[in-house]
Amino acid sequence: MTKVYCISGMGCDHRAFKRLSVDGYEFVPLSWVSYDDTDTLESYAGKMAVNIKESNPIILGLSFGGMLAVEIGKLIDVRHIILISSAKTKDELPEPGRLARYIVKKRLIPPFCFSIPNRLLMGLRGIVPLTERMSEFNAVSGRFMQWALKVVMEWQNTTYPENISHIHGTLDIVIPGRNVKATHTVKGGQHLMVFINAEKVNKILAGILENIK
């Protein structure tokens, strides 16, 4: 089976991909690696790339993981990159505003807040739809969340590899579709449509993977 290496969103682990299924393909989640406070999104992508032992891989990234996939694609040769509910450049991300930038940069939100599975904090984290069952995806430390939010806000990327497909939902409120140049759109899809709307996502993935050269 052909392997597709998957990088999850900042508040998730391998469970975010458990509903993905395409005949002939194995979805292989990549585990988070240790980070330093001085790491940028680009430098952390280099650390994640070390976990990919296959040459010319197919990489799938969800949300934060998609941004990492874009940066990995600049470091190593990849067969194809697939983004789901993500952004290829800084211009596809929403503007957080001065106050939010200050709060995140100064790390004024205590780490423990990111570990409380309630609707408000899931919304602030970008884990939507806002439903209690998504608490199972709270799989990283609060400090990791602090750092990850900071590097996303500092990400200044303007370029990406050409061999990329981008799946985005029309109801994504974390990364609104108005600024996203997606190659495939899921009507009614929210930020975690990879889990909530898996049937639709799987159908699109099958078409993308079938046409990868």
Side-chain angles (χ1 to χ4, degrees):
M1 297 180 74
T2 301
K3 292 183 178 179
V4 178
Y5 294 90
C6 303
I7 309 175
S8 65
M10 67 174 69
C12 310
D13 62 10
H14 64 279
R15 290 171 290 182
F17 303 111
K18 66 182 182 181
R19 293 187 178 179
L20 292 187
S21 179
V22 177
D23 288 343
Y25 293 87
E26 177 186 3
F27 293 91
V28 181
L30 294 177
S31 298
W32 296 119
V33 298
S34 298
Y35 71 96
D36 297 320
D37 279 341
T38 56
D39 271 327
T40 61
L41 198 148
E42 293 89 338
S43 65
Y44 189 71
K47 293 180 177 181
M48 290 291 291
V50 175
N51 284 338
I52 303 175
K53 306 302 180 183
E54 180 180 339
S55 60
N56 208 32
I58 299 173
I59 304 176
L60 183 153
L62 168 65
S63 191
F64 177 60
M67 300 171 216
L68 288 169
V70 168
E71 293 299 339
I72 290 174
K74 298 178 185 179
L75 300 173
I76 65 173
D77 291 330
V78 297
R79 187 176 173 191
H80 201 78
I81 297 172
I82 303 171
L83 304 190
I84 300 178
S85 306
S86 189
K88 298 183 291 296
T89 68
K90 67 180 181 65
D91 295 324
E92 292 189 339
L93 290 171
E95 173 54 49
R98 291 184 179 180
L99 178 59
R101 285 186 180 278
Y102 180 82
I103 289 172
V104 171
K105 183 177 181 180
K106 298 298 184 180
R107 304 188 183 188
L108 298 181
I109 303 176
F112 75 86
C113 287
F114 294 107
S115 299
I116 301 174
N118 62 51
R119 290 171 179 263
L120 173 61
L121 289 174
M122 284 184 177
L124 291 175
R125 280 174 34 174
I127 304 303
V128 291
L130 308 182
T131 171
E132 298 301 330
R133 64 178 171 168
M134 298 318 298
S135 63
E136 69 176 282
F137 293 106
N138 185 31
V140 296
S141 71
R143 292 194 181 281
F144 179 88
M145 292 290 297
Q146 278 187 325
W147 166 81
L149 285 170
K150 179 175 179 290
V151 298
V152 167
M153 284 196 178
E154 293 175 344
W155 194 44
Q156 294 299 306
N157 181 56
T158 59
T159 62
Y160 53 89
E162 293 183 359
N163 53 338
I164 194 167
S165 296
H166 191 159
I167 308 172
H168 213 81
T170 59
L171 296 183
D172 192 322
I173 63 172
V174 178
I175 304 177
R178 61 180 176 270
N179 294 324
V180 174
K181 297 178 180 178
T183 57
H184 302 78
T185 302
V186 175
K187 186 175 181 179
Q190 301 182 57
H191 197 61
L192 269 180
M193 62 183 181
V194 69
F195 187 82
I196 305 299
N197 306 110
E199 185 176 345
K200 293 180 180 179
V201 173
N202 282 332
K203 185 175 181 180
I204 295 173
L205 283 174
I208 292 172
L209 293 169
E210 182 181 352
N211 289 291
I212 292 176
K213 298 179 180 180

